[in-house]
Amino acid sequence: MQKIIELDGNTLTRQQVEEIVKGQATVALCAESTKRVQLSRERIEKRLAEGHVIYGVNTGFGKLSNIQIEESDIELLQLNLLRSDATGVGEPLPTEVVRAMMILRANALARGFSGIRQETLQLLLDCINKGVHPIVPSQGSVGASGDLAPLSHLALVLVGEGKAEFNGELMAGGVALQRAGLSAVRLQAKEGLALVNGTQAMTGIGALTLNEAERIGLAADMAASLSLEALKGITNAFDPALLAVRPHPELELVGGRIRKWLDGSKRVTKQGEVRMQDAYSLRCIPQVHGASWQSFFYAEQRVQTEMNATTDNPIVLENGEVVSGGHFHGQPIALAMDFLKVGVSEWANISERRTERMVNPQLNDGLPPFLATNPGIECGLMIAQYTAASIVSENKVLAHPSSVDSIPTSGNQEDHVSMGTTSARQVRQIVHNAARVIAIEMICASQAIHLDKAEEQLSPTTRTYLEKVREFCPPLLADQPTGDEIEALAKYLLASDDLVVLAK
């Protein structure tokens, strides 16, 4: 029997999002949330029956909020909102991102502050479970009022419009619903706004990216361990008493992990045995990797909060009032994603420097130049370092903070925006780029260990992991293309939880 994850609007985790995205679990609304959604809807209908003017319910949107809408046009207003806001452009977001958006939007609505009807929310859940995936262009969101363009493309399918993918085939949204045995909804007051006003594009990308970033951070720690063995690194720099005098928890976390993974190694050295000090890319692994983990934990905390938050407008409060505010503004996620961009970029930056030390004959402690089997007639892994250098340079451009750039919209009514979705898209690209750089470091360390015939000297942990690396790229016996091997190992690093388990 397939696992069911119940949405309650308060306890969803990034790991659960990934389970649902991958089809390892279905999603349902918990009983308490069903009650809250119904109460929220009743409050909206009561306010309308009493003749209250409510932003976005019986008024226009944004700069048009002072225009009151006749009761007979309220349903058309909600439908027009979806149609007018579906202005996204560019390549469609990957299916896994769209699924994450759908899950997070449903979870936000499950909190019972948005005034949506139960049947509308249920259709969203049914689309998740049956694999009806709206086609959502990747560009067009400024991150306030939330992710309007992406979420509008998503919501159009619920009313039988837009485009969707079903069973691997692109089709009209209404056709996709029919083939899945579902029926489109007819939106009523507040529902269009409840579906499109929120931060679920940036947060959905953020949740998936955090899962990948965790794996890449651990891969960076493992790659560093392998490089330390390849280069006969000095372990005094990881002494717990030394690290304790600068008590950043993440610094000590990395130092402890490196010590654990190198335990039993006969390849690493002590201060003065081979040299007095290592270069910074080896000696400062706890300090640099630890600082990047700080960015990860900060972003994780912010995304966890946002996944279980109400981010639309206006908000239907429990006292019956409907209040307009700014919860749709993506700044908390924008800043978190920008911080994570920098942190992950640094994992890649220092990884490339360790790769350089292994291939450079002036720095690699007697290893063959560029780790070639027959230097001169062969170039070995010389150009792999070029690839790593190219990627880390690209990351430096992507790491520029998008959140510091704001362009006013809606006739200057929305005069400060977050650009958080751009930040989220960029950090995912940086994480994928970092995976390639770290894969290159692992392949270089593997080759260095092979050429030095040092496999038997490795720690039990690193030797076991080296065998996994070599499943993707065996030791090079002669020059050969390695791009496919790098890419395959990078994809494994992004998807595998082997190191997550090992790090526990």
Side-chain angles (χ1 to χ4, degrees), residues 405-448:
D405 181 37
S406 175
I407 299 176
T409 56
S410 191
N412 228 35
Q413 172 76 359
E414 299 163 5
D415 55 356
H416 184 280
V417 299
S418 74
M419 301 299 181
T421 307
T422 303
S423 297
R425 288 171 49 228
Q426 288 172 330
V427 74
R428 197 166 198 226
Q429 183 61 59
I430 287 171
V431 169
H432 289 195
N433 283 346
R436 298 177 177 105
V437 175
I438 291 163
I440 290 170
E441 181 186 356
M442 287 182 171
I443 290 169
C444 287
S446 169
Q447 184 70 2

Side-chain angles (χ1 to χ4, degrees), residues 335-374:
L335 291 175
M337 293 298 98
D338 279 341
F339 189 16
L340 185 60
K341 281 160 57 175
V342 175
V344 177
S345 293
E346 281 303 290
W347 276 327
N349 283 351
I350 196 170
S351 172
E352 183 277 328
R353 289 292 80 200
R354 290 191 294 265
T355 292
E356 167 67 5
R357 299 203 75 79
M358 286 185 282
V359 302
N360 189 331
Q362 298 179 5
L363 303 172
N364 67 8
D365 198 33
L367 290 166
F370 304 105
L371 304 177
T373 302
N374 190 2

Side-chain angles (χ1 to χ4, degrees), residues 44-333:
I44 278 286
E45 293 176 351
K46 182 174 183 292
R47 299 286 285 187
L48 283 174
E50 292 171 348
H52 292 276
V53 177
I54 305 171
Y55 168 74
V57 177
N58 52 10
T59 75
F61 304 104
K63 191 70 172 178
L64 304 175
S65 60
N66 291 325
I67 299 176
Q68 191 164 345
I69 307 301
E70 296 294 331
E71 184 177 353
S72 59
D73 290 329
I74 284 178
E75 289 187 13
L76 179 60
L77 173 72
Q78 300 302 310
L79 181 58
N80 281 344
L81 175 66
L82 270 57
R83 290 170 171 168
S84 67
D85 286 6
T87 57
V89 295
E91 290 295 314
L93 291 170
T95 299
E96 66 266 22
V97 170
V98 174
R99 285 182 63 78
M101 289 172 58
M102 297 167 76
I103 295 161
L104 295 187
R105 192 73 211 124
N107 194 56
L109 295 172
R111 303 193 79 231
F113 296 106
S114 301
I116 201 164
R117 288 177 301 151
Q118 170 70 27
E119 50 263 49
T120 305
L121 176 52
Q122 185 59 50
L123 179 58
L124 179 55
L125 298 174
D126 290 340
C127 285
I128 295 168
N129 291 334
K130 296 197 174 186
V132 177
H133 303 130
I135 302 301
V136 180
S138 57
Q139 295 173 287
S141 176
V142 296
S145 300
D147 288 312
L148 290 176
L151 288 171
S152 294
H153 284 278
L154 189 156
L156 270 178
V157 173
L158 302 182
V159 299
E161 299 185 14
K163 299 176 184 178
E165 176 268 326
F166 181 66
N167 287 340
E169 184 182 347
L170 177 64
M171 62 192 74
V175 174
L177 290 178
Q178 289 173 4
R179 292 195 183 178
L182 302 173
S183 299
V185 294
R186 183 171 177 174
L187 297 180
Q188 296 185 11
K190 178 68 166 68
E191 291 195 294
L193 195 55
L195 287 168
V196 307
N197 209 215
T199 62
Q200 282 68 46
M202 67 182 81
T203 311
I205 297 170
L208 296 181
T209 300
L210 280 166
N211 290 331
E212 294 175 330
E214 180 180 29
R215 296 170 185 135
I216 294 311
L218 292 170
D221 291 346
M222 177 55 76
S225 300
L226 289 167
S227 295
L228 281 162
E229 291 187 299
L231 292 167
K232 301 177 184 175
I234 300 168
T235 57
N236 298 75
F238 307 97
D239 186 295
L242 171 68
L243 299 183
V245 302
R246 193 184 189 189
H248 291 282
E250 298 82 6
L251 183 157
E252 295 183 274
L253 177 69
V254 171
R257 185 175 294 143
I258 299 291
R259 289 194 306 273
K260 176 184 174 183
W261 288 352
L262 290 179
D263 185 37
S265 174
K266 298 179 178 62
R267 181 73 178 178
V268 291
T269 62
K270 296 294 184 182
Q271 187 172 301
E273 288 181 353
V274 176
R275 65 190 79 86
M276 285 303 298
Q277 289 185 333
D278 278 327
Y280 287 2
S281 59
L282 298 174
R283 195 190 340 159
C284 299
I285 291 166
Q287 292 78 12
V288 177
H289 285 210
S292 291
W293 279 110
Q294 288 175 351
S295 75
F296 172 84
F297 291 131
Y298 176 80
E300 180 183 43
Q301 184 185 46
R302 298 278 70 79
V303 168
Q304 176 63 29
T305 298
E306 192 79 349
M307 287 196 304
N308 294 286
T310 301
T311 56
D312 55 309
N313 181 61
I315 303 299
V316 184
L317 298 178
E318 291 179 344
N319 63 8
E321 292 187 28
V322 184
V323 181
S324 183
H327 283 331
F328 48 69
H329 201 294
Q331 198 75 359
I333 299 302

